[in-house]
């Protein structure tokens, strides 16, 4: 995979991180629920090239005493265009700066059908469809400053409502195929859900699932064989 959304918690503290597993509409899923705090947070990680999810994490944070508690796959990435195989699609931001694939910046693109999620260690995630116009002409739409950002595909939930910010511009097959996929969601109180669905599901059913959780914002991430989740069983609690 090209990048990861990871959860970190300070070693020796009790992070509020719970693993859920279940079935919805006949589809199995795994979900990590995390409530951010002074010692537990969600961030983007990227190694500059494709890696297994288990190998995508922030070495610097580990040296500071943090534990990567868990994570899921994040950006879509180019898999068919040399020499850019492995390049994230759209925006990928870490530590307040856009990242690079070799010499190319990983920035959002407008007109591509890929929305971008922005967030900091604290506060709520913001979903925006903006970026460099794929047809030229510079930046279109809102610019957002944040510590982390990633471009997924279309949005499921925006401000508590069923809404696709791309207006249907997202790649049509994502709406109808039977591929597994991941999703990043957040409640209005700041609680994050990192979700992997292990087969395809109609958009309206995904929205039903998310609204049952009182999700406020949610974006679709990469899927297919990229769909991945990992977590540390000695750090993450199992749902009762």
């Amino acid at each position: 995979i090209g990048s990861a959304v990871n959860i970190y918690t300070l070693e020796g503290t009790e992070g509020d991180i719970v693993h859920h597993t279940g079935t919805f509409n006949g589809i199995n899923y795994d979900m990590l629920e995390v409530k951010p705090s002074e010692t537990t947070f969600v961030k983007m990680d990227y190694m500059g090239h494709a890696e297994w999810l288990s190998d995508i994490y922030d070495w610097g944070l580990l040296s500071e005493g943090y534990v990567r508690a868990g994570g899921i796959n994040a950006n879509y990435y180019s898999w068919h265009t040399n020499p850019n195989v492995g390049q994230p699609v759209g925006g990928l931001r870490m530590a307040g700066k856009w990242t690079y694939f070799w010499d190319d910046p990983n920035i959002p693109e407008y007109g591509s059908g890929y929305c971008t999620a922005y967030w900091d260690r604290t506060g709520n995630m913001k979903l925006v469809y903006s970026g460099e116009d794929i047809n030229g002409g510079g930046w279109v739409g809102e610019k957002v400053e944040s510590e982390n950002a990633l471009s997924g595909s279309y949005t499921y939930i925006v401000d508590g409502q069923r809404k696709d910010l791309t207006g249907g511009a997202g790649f049509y097959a994502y709406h109808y195929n039977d591929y597994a996929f991941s999703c990043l969601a957040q409640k209005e109180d700041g609680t994050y859900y990192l979700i992997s669905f292990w087969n395809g599901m109609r958009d309206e059913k995904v929205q039903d699932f998310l609204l049952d959780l009182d999700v406020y914002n949610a974006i679709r991430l990469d899927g297919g064989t990229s769909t991945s989740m990992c977590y540390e069983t000695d750090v993450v609690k199992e749902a009762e």
Side-chain angles (χ1 to χ4, degrees):
I1 65 174
S3 59
V5 179
N6 280 328
I7 305 165
Y8 291 88
T9 192
L10 190 62
E11 191 170 10
T13 63
E14 188 172 344
D16 197 347
I17 311 164
V18 180
H19 171 244
H20 304 259
T21 186
T23 302
F24 184 83
N25 196 46
I27 304 301
N28 295 330
Y29 68 87
D30 283 89
M31 179 171 69
L32 295 173
E33 176 184 1
V34 55
K35 295 183 178 179
S37 67
E38 291 183 2
T39 56
T40 302
F41 54 89
V42 175
K43 74 179 288 287
M44 281 300 301
D45 283 318
Y46 170 60
M47 308 301 289
H49 53 270
E51 286 281 4
W52 297 108
L53 177 61
S54 58
D55 295 324
I56 302 178
Y57 54 87
D58 189 327
W59 289 83
L61 281 174
L62 270 57
S63 69
E64 294 173 18
Y66 283 89
V67 176
R68 195 271 292 270
I72 57 172
N73 61 291
N75 294 71
Y76 292 81
Y77 63 95
S78 174
W79 56 272
H80 58 80
T81 307
N82 287 314
N84 296 329
V85 172
Q87 180 172 10
V89 174
L92 200 169
R93 189 177 180 92
M94 297 177 1
K97 297 180 180 179
W98 297 114
T99 60
Y100 283 77
F101 181 83
W102 299 107
D103 294 327
D104 292 334
N106 298 315
I107 58 176
E109 298 176 335
Y110 182 81
S112 62
Y114 293 87
C115 281
T116 303
Y118 296 85
W119 75 95
D120 299 317
R121 283 197 183 190
T122 59
N124 284 349
M125 177 172 69
K126 184 171 187 176
L127 302 179
V128 178
Y129 187 38
S130 64
E132 291 287 340
D133 191 335
I134 61 173
N135 297 311
W139 191 278
V140 177
E142 184 179 0
K143 288 188 175 182
V144 179
E145 294 296 324
S146 65
E147 294 174 23
N148 304 281
L150 81 111
S151 293
S153 184
Y154 51 89
T155 56
Y156 287 115
I157 307 293
V158 180
D159 296 339
Q161 303 296 317
R162 301 170 190 259
K163 188 173 185 180
D164 174 9
L165 289 176
T166 73
F171 183 47
Y172 75 94
Y174 297 153
H175 296 273
Y176 304 108
N177 64 36
D178 291 329
Y179 299 154
F181 65 98
S182 292
C183 176
L184 177 63
Q186 189 185 41
K187 294 176 65 172
E188 196 169 11
D189 68 3
T191 300
Y192 281 97
Y193 294 109
L194 284 62
I195 312 166
S196 291
F197 294 98
W198 301 114
N199 209 327
M201 194 186 306
R202 289 279 184 169
D203 292 344
E204 62 270 19
K205 294 299 182 181
V206 179
Q207 291 168 327
D208 289 344
F209 176 89
L210 295 168
L211 290 173
D212 284 348
L213 295 171
D214 293 325
V215 161
Y216 195 66
N217 284 303
I219 187 169
R220 182 187 175 108
L221 305 182
D222 196 6
T225 56
S226 294
T227 309
S228 311
M229 174 180 287
C230 65
Y231 62 96
E232 297 294 332
T233 56
D234 58 341
V235 176
V236 177
K237 306 170 186 174
E238 289 293 332
E240 298 180 356

